[in-house]
Amino acid sequence: MSVLSQGKDWSSEHYSDVAMLLGHCSNVYSADVPTAIQELAAVISRGEQAEAFAAMTPEDAVSWLQSGSAGEAGQKFAGFLARHGHRCIREAEFYEKSWRRAPSKVVTVLQSILKMGRLEPLQKNVLSVDEAIAKIKSPTTFLGRLVLKFVLPRAQAAVGDREWGKSLSIEMVDAFKEAYWRLGDLMVLEGRLPEKELVFFLSHLEIGTLLKTRSAKLVTKANRRKRIYPKQMALEFPRISIGHPKPAYENNGAEEAYVVTSVCLKGMPVSQGVVRGTARVVTSLEAAGHIQAGEILIVHYTDVGWTPYFPLISGLVTEIGGLLSHGAVVAREYGLPCIVNVKKATSVIKTGDQVILNGTLGTLEKLD
């Protein structure tokens, strides 16, 4: 970035150039998710069970894929879960079930892709290092271009390494998840918990105490925590907190001081391209199931768990994120226009609004 800005303040043009340069990475592990989903959908579409599969309940569809009668589709599905089954939306949250434990999560998206015929991955034009540097719009010196030619291949490789490292860390998290689910099952069998999910609402120390004492107070505490969990997940926090983070409504109106006076929102461009379409604002996991083909997805943030939806959408907008956030990395690899860091996007824009997303300039414009 310093080479492009030459000591000046960073502008949208600089971010756009960096996004373009980082959009031609190789071996990005997480970018394989949407492609693998589409390949699986294509295999199912060629079979005799295509229409029946699309009409099944997610649970029945999983049962069919995991049965011997699914053939090549079943083998591909098993391969997908073996490679990516530890991922999911909010994948670092212990209470959130991975695709391997709850495969219906990803099968729902698979059925949508099949119904809407989104079977062909977007074609991405991969540029060489020299070609990418030649497309830079920011003024650069001869020395600066030499520096970029040396640094860029290493930076691109580092993006792939980072995604691989995140996958390994989540795989470890998933191993702990499975261990806690197993522990929950055993505690229910021994009469220490009324339901296995409660194990995720106790600290590790409290679990140890419960195993030793069968404390009814701890069970009550876990039940109380589980009841308020949905409310806690719905809370919004200011972008920067000093001291103990407080929800926005307790922040003396500091967040509410930001008032949108224009139908053109500004963010950070992280994947180039311009697209016009219908907005789909998703603020809950349940609403994600309503995403339609060609819509522009607007969310608080994304992780790799959102990438199965990428074959359905035509663009992505997030309120939180950066050049190297997972949604941005996969959007670049998949060729989706994307901007991040767009304040209040999920409240200013409503599902059904017609919008223009400019992933080069970093703008989201609502049309009348």
Side-chain angles (χ1 to χ4, degrees):
M1 184 66 85
S2 299
V3 173
L4 297 178
S5 65
Q6 299 182 41
K8 300 177 183 177
D9 291 338
W10 297 351
S11 66
S12 293
E13 185 177 79
H14 297 137
Y15 284 112
S16 183
D17 279 339
V18 172
M20 183 273 295
L21 293 172
L22 294 179
H24 303 279
C25 305
S26 59
N27 300 319
V28 178
Y29 183 80
S30 51
D32 180 52
V33 172
T35 303
I37 287 287
Q38 282 182 293
E39 288 176 354
L40 177 54
V43 170
I44 295 172
S45 71
R46 295 193 295 267
E48 297 178 355
Q49 294 291 324
E51 288 189 21
F53 177 83
M56 291 177 187
T57 64
E59 292 73 22
D60 287 342
V62 170
S63 297
W64 178 75
L65 283 169
Q66 293 180 334
S67 70
S69 60
E72 184 185 357
Q75 294 172 9
K76 273 194 169 293
F77 185 63
F80 177 86
L81 291 182
R83 182 170 170 82
H84 301 292
H86 54 289
R87 314 308 289 264
C88 64
I89 295 176
R90 291 206 304 261
E91 56 192 5
E93 167 61 54
F94 273 32
Y95 186 44
E96 200 64 50
K97 294 179 181 178
S98 67
W99 293 334
R100 190 176 290 122
R101 173 165 277 271
S104 59
K105 290 181 177 181
V106 74
V107 165
T108 302
V109 188
L110 180 62
Q111 289 177 305
S112 296
I113 293 172
L114 195 62
K115 291 175 185 176
M116 298 173 193
R118 309 284 281 200
L119 305 177
E120 294 296 326
L122 293 174
Q123 296 300 313
K124 179 187 171 186
N125 182 27
V126 179
L127 302 178
S128 67
V129 170
D130 289 332
E131 289 172 333
I133 293 175
K135 291 189 67 175
I136 292 172
K137 295 181 179 178
S138 304
T140 52
T141 64
F142 175 74
L143 179 60
R145 288 176 179 266
L146 287 179
V147 171
L148 285 175
K149 192 170 182 178
F150 174 79
V151 171
L152 183 56
R154 292 160 177 79
Q156 291 174 337
V159 171
D161 291 343
R162 177 182 181 273
E163 290 297 300
W164 174 247
K166 176 64 183 293
S167 177
L168 290 177
S169 68
I170 294 301
E171 198 158 8
M172 181 60 70
V173 168
D174 191 51
F176 276 102
K177 286 183 187 180
E178 290 301 311
Y180 277 110
W181 280 113
R182 175 61 178 154
L183 178 60
D185 285 332
L186 293 174
M187 293 179 76
V188 169
L189 285 174
E190 292 184 0
R192 298 177 188 275
L193 285 176
E195 52 186 271
K196 60 185 177 182
E197 287 83 1
L198 290 179
V199 75
F200 295 99
F201 295 92
L202 294 167
S203 69
H204 198 73
L205 182 62
E206 288 170 338
I207 291 172
T209 301
L210 186 59
L211 288 173
K212 295 175 182 177
T213 65
R214 294 181 181 268
S215 169
K217 285 186 177 180
L218 285 178
V219 175
T220 301
K221 182 183 287 188
N223 272 309
R224 186 167 62 248
R225 289 169 177 168
K226 185 182 178 183
R227 282 197 302 271
I228 66 173
Y229 177 72
K231 293 182 179 179
Q232 289 180 321
M233 293 303 297
L235 294 176
E236 294 186 22
F237 292 83
R239 288 168 176 262
I240 300 175
S241 296
I242 299 175
H244 194 278
K246 295 181 180 179
Y249 66 81
E250 296 179 358
N251 205 36
N252 299 321
E255 276 293 284
E256 299 304 320
Y258 177 81
V259 179
V260 177
T261 59
S262 171
V263 291
C264 185
L265 304 180
K266 187 74 173 174
M268 179 190 297
V270 296
S271 183
Q272 294 187 350
V274 180
V275 63
R276 174 176 176 167
T278 302
R280 172 65 64 175
V281 179
V282 176
T283 56
S284 68
L285 293 179
E286 293 74 23
H290 301 297
I291 296 172
Q292 300 295 309
E295 291 182 325
I296 295 173
L297 179 62
I298 303 173
V299 293
H300 291 304
Y301 73 97
T302 58
D303 55 23
V304 174
W306 286 94
T307 55
Y309 293 97
F310 282 19
L312 291 174
I313 64 177
S314 59
L316 175 66
V317 178
T318 71
E319 293 183 329
I320 300 172
L323 280 164
L324 296 180
S325 57
H326 298 288
V329 171
V330 180
R332 285 194 295 268
E333 292 303 305
Y334 200 68
L336 284 176
C338 176
I339 63 174
V340 301
N341 231 9
V342 185
K343 291 183 180 180
K344 301 292 182 180
T346 59
S347 54
V348 173
I349 306 297
K350 306 299 181 185
T351 293
D353 286 346
Q354 292 298 305
V355 296
I356 295 178
L357 167 61
N358 191 319
T360 304
L361 298 179
T363 59
L364 178 67
E365 182 181 359
K366 179 181 174 182
L367 303 177
D368 295 330

